[in-house]
Amino acid sequence: MTNRWRADGYIEIRHPGSSADSARAVHSYYFPGSAKGKVMTATIGGAAARRLSAAHRGPDETVTFPLQQTACPAVVLALPSIAIEDEEMRLAQAWYLREQAYALFIGMLAMSEAPPGGTLTVDIAGADRRDWMVTLDGTWSLSSDEAGRVVFEHVPAGSHRLLVRRAGVS
């Protein structure tokens, strides 16, 4: 499909059951000899690892069918392994799935050389701070973590609109 639609890039996301060297790391791979794939792997894998507070292992070369058959730069990202019980449990939580997606988004922004912008941190106050949905400018929504915190990156200067909601409360 990437070839048919003339995609600019291909990202395959994996949640491995085990890891050769570090289950808490983000591992990133590209097709051997692909200079653009190597840059894409380093940029997106590095950004994802930073956002998820994990080590980045890569970029490394590998041969998989999608990497071999895709005409555009292609990467495989193996996020922290589900061999770690707390990682598997976090994957069942909406906030963490959104956090992983946002980590990849930040990496793609870095690939596009978008201006870095600033960081916007939202702290939810109150007794029950987890799982509040915070939407920035009607565009991107993240869920608050256990500490009630949401951090948006690459936010341009200026005023912004935030919507904070959970279970019918805004």
Side-chain angles (χ1 to χ4, degrees):
M1 288 190 315
T2 58
N3 293 339
R4 186 177 337 135
W5 293 333
R6 296 185 180 113
D8 294 327
Y10 171 88
I11 302 171
E12 180 177 321
I13 304 164
R14 296 181 181 179
H15 291 92
S18 65
S19 179
D21 68 341
S22 175
R24 292 210 183 272
V26 171
H27 298 263
S28 58
Y29 306 94
Y30 65 98
F31 188 74
S34 172
K36 289 182 180 179
K38 184 176 184 177
V39 169
M40 188 173 165
T41 301
T43 304
I44 296 175
R50 278 188 302 281
R51 181 74 188 192
L52 299 174
S53 299
H56 181 220
R57 302 283 191 261
D60 291 321
E61 295 180 341
T62 194
V63 177
T64 66
F65 184 79
L67 294 183
Q68 186 177 28
Q69 298 299 317
T70 303
C72 62
V75 301
V76 172
L77 294 175
L79 299 175
S81 171
I82 60 172
I84 304 167
E85 185 177 340
D86 67 326
E87 183 67 22
E88 184 177 7
M89 293 298 113
R90 287 195 302 181
L91 282 169
Q93 299 174 34
W95 74 268
Y96 189 60
L97 295 174
R98 287 182 178 274
E99 192 64 28
Q100 286 192 347
Y102 194 70
L104 298 174
F105 173 70
I106 295 300
M108 288 185 278
L109 280 178
M111 273 302 298
S112 69
E113 299 178 3
T119 300
L120 176 64
T121 302
V122 178
D123 288 312
I124 306 296
D128 192 7
R129 300 179 287 184
R130 184 173 154 197
D131 292 328
W132 284 82
M133 186 66 64
V134 180
T135 304
L136 174 66
D137 295 332
T139 304
W140 193 269
S141 297
L142 295 175
S143 297
S144 58
D145 62 15
E146 292 94 351
R149 178 165 281 184
V150 171
V151 179
F152 293 97
E153 297 179 44
H154 289 271
V155 179
S159 61
H160 298 280
R161 193 176 121 244
L162 287 175
L163 175 62
V164 180
R165 66 190 187 289
R166 183 174 83 181
V169 176
S170 295

